[in-house]
Amino acid sequence: MIKAKLASALSALGAAALICAAGPAAAQKQRDDTPPVAFGENAPKPDDDAAPAPMRTYAPVNFDPAVDPENVWVLDLSNGQRVKIRLMPDWAPNHVERIKTLTRAGFYNGVPFHRVIDGFMAQGGDPSGTGQGGSQLPDLKAEFNPMPHVRGTLSMARAADEDSANSQFFIVFYPRFSLDKRYTNFGRVIENMEGVDAIARGEPPANPTYIVQASLGSDNLPPPPPPAAAQDGPITAEMLSAPIR
């Protein structure tokens, strides 16, 4: 009886020894069957640690009007000044294209600056001169960008709807960073900012400055002749007898 129990105990002990011996081998086999895990630079990163998308860069303003004249907007004003503005298609391609299209159609010729606030900006681009008008083209979707509204910035005017810009624009006299990313900045005065400073003030001005001729630098249009000045002098008999037309 004792021998039988001893034999049974030895048998169980031997089985346990075999199981213990097989354990590491089985574990090794399991490790061999497991896909390799990458460490260091090759290790997969969680989504929240993914590399951020590269930041977009914007083209700088070139202040030489001889460079890329197709994107130089030339405004001949009734105050006798010629102002040149660099259009920036890299910042707002659709707004630049709209200005070019309207300019080549003669839309801006004769249009006044109807809202000019000292220390702020000069706004124009409405043929009605009321601030309520625009072109027959559809309104533009906003192209807001991080470029700052500094002195000489050309930006697009709009109504309360962000996508309501059409033909009206404004030129900033002094920096107004509160406008950044709220209005589409698409250009900068590169020659004769003093001519912009000379635009008559008012909402509307009593005697508004207007655009005599708008063109692109690549059109090579000469400045138009200055508006005829009213002649002062005594009233003559010929004037009185002249027919009324």
Side-chain angles (χ1 to χ4, degrees), residues 36-46 49:
V37 177
F39 295 93
E41 294 181 356
N42 297 322
K45 295 180 175 62
D49 289 338

Side-chain angles (χ1 to χ4, degrees), residues 91-159:
W91 299 0
N94 295 328
H95 284 67
V96 168
E97 188 57 37
R98 172 60 56 86
I99 289 290
K100 290 170 145 185
T101 297
L102 293 177
T103 295
R104 288 209 158 113
F107 176 86
Y108 290 111
N109 296 347
V111 173
F113 286 89
H114 63 272
R115 182 170 178 252
V116 186
I117 303 174
D118 197 29
F120 183 18
M121 57 89 216
Q123 182 174 338
D126 173 15
S128 74
T130 65
Q132 304 299 315
S135 76
Q136 297 300 313
L137 298 177
D139 291 345
L140 293 165
K141 185 173 179 60
E143 293 179 297
F144 299 154
N145 55 68
M147 305 311 293
H149 282 72
V150 297
R151 173 172 162 81
T153 286
L154 173 68
S155 196
M156 210 68 165
R158 62 173 177 82

Side-chain angles (χ1 to χ4, degrees), residues 61-63 84-88 91 147-154 185-191:
V61 176
N62 190 313
F63 284 83
K84 294 184 180 180
I85 303 172
R86 171 71 63 191
L87 302 175
M88 299 299 295
W91 299 0
M147 305 311 293
H149 282 72
V150 297
R151 173 172 162 81
T153 286
L154 173 68
N185 182 341
F186 68 104
R188 183 89 57 81
V189 174
I190 59 173
E191 188 174 292

Side-chain angles (χ1 to χ4, degrees), residues 103-234:
T103 295
R104 288 209 158 113
F107 176 86
Y108 290 111
N109 296 347
V111 173
F113 286 89
H114 63 272
R115 182 170 178 252
V116 186
I117 303 174
D118 197 29
F120 183 18
M121 57 89 216
Q123 182 174 338
D126 173 15
S128 74
T130 65
Q132 304 299 315
S135 76
Q136 297 300 313
L137 298 177
D139 291 345
L140 293 165
K141 185 173 179 60
E143 293 179 297
F144 299 154
N145 55 68
M147 305 311 293
H149 282 72
V150 297
R151 173 172 162 81
T153 286
L154 173 68
S155 196
M156 210 68 165
R158 62 173 177 82
D161 184 352
E162 291 185 347
D163 300 330
S164 60
N166 186 284
S167 66
Q168 293 190 42
F169 63 90
F170 60 93
I171 303 172
V172 178
F173 291 129
Y174 293 101
R176 282 295 179 110
F177 302 131
S178 61
L179 305 177
D180 295 355
K181 298 183 182 180
R182 297 176 55 215
Y183 293 84
T184 298
N185 182 341
F186 68 104
R188 183 89 57 81
V189 174
I190 59 173
E191 188 174 292
N192 196 15
M193 183 64 194
E194 293 76 14
V196 177
D197 293 333
I199 293 174
R201 270 53 168 175
E203 299 182 70
N207 187 20
T209 303
Y210 61 90
I211 300 171
V212 178
Q213 173 181 273
S215 63
L216 297 176
S218 55
D219 297 337
N220 292 315
L221 295 184
Q231 295 182 354
D232 296 327

